[in-house]
Amino acid sequence: MPSCVLAYSGGLDTSVILGWLMDQGYDVHCVYVDLGQPCEDREAILHKAEKIGAASAQIIDVQDELCRDFAFPVLQWQARYEGVYLLGTSIARPLISKVCLQVARDVGADAYAHGATGKGNDQCRFQLAAEALDPSVKVIAPWRIGSFRHTFPGRTAMIEYCEQKDIPVKASTSKPYSSDENCLHISYEAGKLEELTVNGVETVEFGMGVSPQQAPDQVEKVTVAFKAGLPVSVNGKTGSAIEIVKTLNDIGGRNGIGRIDMVENRFVGMKSRGVYEAPGMTILYEAHRLLEQLTLDRDLVHLRDRLSPEVAEMVYYGFWYAPKFDALLAFIREAQKNVDGEVRLSLYKGNMMVDSRTSPNSLYDEGIATMEGGGSYDQTDAEGFLRIQGLPSRVQGRVTPRNW
C-alpha cells in the first residue's frame, strides 16, 4: 500500500484530506508542525488523526528553528515583500516541507500531501521546497485535483463527509475572513477583506495586540541587543530566538506595533488583499536597521538594499532551497559580522522612536562629523574631490550644452 505524509492541522480541511487520502488507498502519516499557532489541545489533534485512521501522528515543535534559521536571516536582509510585508507566512512554509520530508524519510513514505489551495502562494512554497529537497517526491495537492473539488464543492459537503466517516468536527461561527498564525505573525485575508472599500484594521479581530488607539498613553522603552546582526537579548535578558520573539510580541502588541493592510501581487499572478500583524518582528526590523546605520559601510549597505527586494521575492515565491538563495545567505552572514550593539526604542501608540544606539564597531566618528570648527576633517580637501567628481559634467557641458 502506498504511503504519504500529510501536513496536518487538525482542522476541517486537513481532516477531510486525511480521510480522502485513505479512500485513495494511502497509509497516511500526519505531522503537526508546531510553529506557535494557537490550538486548544495539540494532543487532541493527534488523537483525532488516529481516530480517523492515520498510520501515525506526531507533533514536531520547530518554533525556535523558525525564528533562528529562517526569520532572523531574512531580518538581516531587511527583506520586505513589496516594501511592506515581513513574510511571516512565507518564511514558515519551506520549514514545514522540510519537517514533513524528514518524517517521510523516516517512515518510508513516497508522497507528501498538503491542504493549500490552487489559487494561493502556499502551494508554490510547499512544492518548490519539497522538490528541491527530494527531487523524487510525489506532491499531492488535493485542491488542485478536479475529482476532489467535485466531491467537496463547499464546506457543507466537507461536514457531511465527516459525519459519514465519524470524523469529529467542531462547529464554530465562521469569521468574515480567514487567518493564518505562527509565532512570527498573523495574516488575515479573504471574506469581507476581499472588498477594498472595507477598512481592514477595523474589520479584523487582531490576536497579537491592541490597536494604537487603545495602547497606553505613555511611552514604553525597549532595548534590543544584537551580535553579528542577530538578536541576542531584550532589556538585558538573553534568550533563545523564540524567547526573544515572544517577548517582543508581548511588548509590541500592548503598544499597537506592527499592523499593515496591503494589496499584494501573488506569485500565481493575481492581486490579493492581506492584513498582517507582526509586533515583535516589526520592532526587530527597526532596531536592526538603526544599528546598521552605525556599523555598516555605505557601499555595503547600499548593495544590500539593492538586493533585499530580490531576497524578499524569492522567499515570497518559495525559492528558499535554491543555489542563488544559498549564496545570498552566505553574503548576508559575511555582511553582518560587525553588526553588534544595542538599540533602545521608545514605543508609543503604534510608533517606534529611536532613543539611543551604541556599538563597539560604530563607524560614526564625532570628530569627523561635527559641524563645529576644527575636528579631523579638512574641508579644503573637498575642493579637489569635487573638481574630480565634476570633471565629466564639465566636459559634457562644453561639448553638448544643456538648454536651461
Side-chain angles (χ1 to χ4, degrees):
M1 181 179 289
S3 63
C4 74
V5 166
L6 170 63
Y8 181 72
S9 70
L12 178 62
D13 282 25
T14 54
S15 295
V16 168
I17 289 171
L18 168 55
W20 181 82
L21 287 168
M22 292 168 55
D23 292 344
Q24 308 308 303
Y26 282 95
D27 279 336
V28 185
H29 300 270
C30 291
V31 180
Y32 182 96
V33 182
D34 188 349
L35 304 164
Q37 57 270 51
C39 177
E40 292 180 359
D41 188 342
R42 282 162 168 71
E43 291 302 320
I45 286 178
L46 294 189
H47 293 322
K48 179 178 179 179
E50 292 164 353
K51 184 178 187 302
I52 295 170
S56 69
Q58 60 182 300
I59 298 169
I60 300 178
D61 188 339
V62 294
Q63 294 180 71
D64 196 59
E65 183 180 2
L66 173 64
C67 298
R68 182 189 65 239
D69 297 340
F70 288 77
F72 285 1
V74 176
L75 161 69
Q76 289 178 306
W77 270 105
Q78 284 285 310
R80 307 166 189 256
Y81 185 64
E82 297 186 335
V84 181
Y85 173 39
L86 300 187
L87 299 158
T89 296
S90 317
I91 290 167
R93 297 326 193 197
L95 178 54
I96 292 173
S97 283
K98 186 185 84 164
V99 171
C100 287
L101 289 184
Q102 288 171 333
V103 173
R105 184 172 56 196
D106 293 342
V107 301
D110 54 11
Y112 163 41
H114 62 76
T117 75
K119 279 191 171 185
N121 296 307
D122 282 340
Q123 59 171 339
C124 309
R125 299 162 184 158
F126 286 138
Q127 185 154 342
L128 291 170
E131 292 184 348
L133 293 173
D134 182 0
S136 66
V137 69
K138 177 183 179 182
V139 176
I140 303 173
W143 287 113
R144 299 204 302 258
I145 299 173
S147 60
F148 180 87
R149 296 196 306 274
H150 178 75
T151 303
F152 304 107
R155 185 177 177 87
T156 300
M158 298 176 79
I159 292 174
E160 289 175 353
Y161 175 84
C162 289
E163 290 173 348
Q164 293 167 9
K165 293 281 188 178
D166 195 26
I167 297 172
V169 177
K170 183 179 179 181
S172 62
T173 303
S174 180
K175 291 184 178 180
Y177 51 82
S178 64
S179 63
D180 181 82
E181 181 170 351
N182 59 42
C183 59
L184 303 173
H185 88 149
I186 307 178
S187 64
Y188 308 90
E189 62 180 10
K192 285 189 176 181
L193 295 177
E194 292 175 352
E195 177 52 62
L196 298 185
T197 57
V198 169
N199 185 309
V201 297
E202 292 180 358
T203 300
V204 165
E205 184 180 330
F206 287 94
M208 298 182 81
V210 302
S211 69
Q213 296 92 326
Q214 295 172 322
D217 290 322
Q218 60 187 30
V219 170
E220 179 173 356
K221 296 184 185 297
V222 59
T223 300
V224 184
F226 294 82
K227 182 69 177 177
L230 298 171
V232 293
S233 72
V234 177
N235 292 333
K237 183 179 180 180
T238 59
S240 65
I242 182 59
E243 288 170 345
I244 287 171
V245 170
K246 284 185 174 180
T247 297
L248 289 173
N249 279 340
D250 290 341
I251 295 171
R254 63 177 173 252
N255 286 285
I257 303 294
R259 297 180 174 189
I260 64 169
D261 181 339
M262 70 180 293
V263 174
E264 66 200 64
N265 291 292
R266 284 184 180 171
F267 188 24
V268 293
M270 69 185 74
K271 288 186 182 290
S272 66
R273 193 264 192 94
V275 175
Y276 302 100
E277 61 174 330
M281 291 305 298
T282 299
I283 291 172
L284 285 176
Y285 265 72
E286 180 66 4
H288 177 261
R289 182 185 67 84
L290 290 164
L291 186 58
E292 284 187 325
Q293 292 175 352
L294 294 185
T295 55
L296 287 190
D297 167 77
R298 177 191 66 189
D299 291 339
L300 175 57
V301 76
H302 288 183
L303 175 61
R304 194 283 308 275
D305 289 346
R306 290 196 296 273
L307 291 172
S308 181
E310 182 87 2
V311 171
E313 188 174 272
M314 290 187 73
V315 174
Y316 186 85
Y317 290 174
F319 291 102
W320 188 278
Y321 301 112
K324 182 169 73 169
F325 200 72
D326 293 338
L328 289 165
L329 289 176
F331 169 88
I332 204 63
R333 283 192 295 269
E334 173 65 21
Q336 294 282 303
K337 64 184 182 182
N338 292 321
V339 183
D340 302 343
E342 288 189 350
V343 174
R344 187 167 68 241
L345 297 172
S346 293
L347 310 181
Y348 181 71
K349 291 188 174 294
N351 296 290
M352 298 177 290
M353 298 151 285
V354 60
D355 198 47
S356 74
R357 50 203 145 186
T358 60
S359 171
N361 302 324
S362 176
L363 302 177
Y364 177 80
D365 188 325
E366 188 175 355
I368 293 175
T370 181
M371 289 294 188
E372 299 298 325
S376 57
Y377 181 89
D378 188 344
Q379 296 185 54
T380 306
D381 293 341
E383 185 68 33
F385 169 76
L386 284 169
R387 290 293 294 171
I388 291 171
Q389 291 292 318
L391 177 59
S393 297
R394 293 197 301 275
V395 172
Q396 188 73 39
R398 286 195 295 268
V399 175
T400 56
R402 295 178 180 270
N403 293 324
W404 55 280

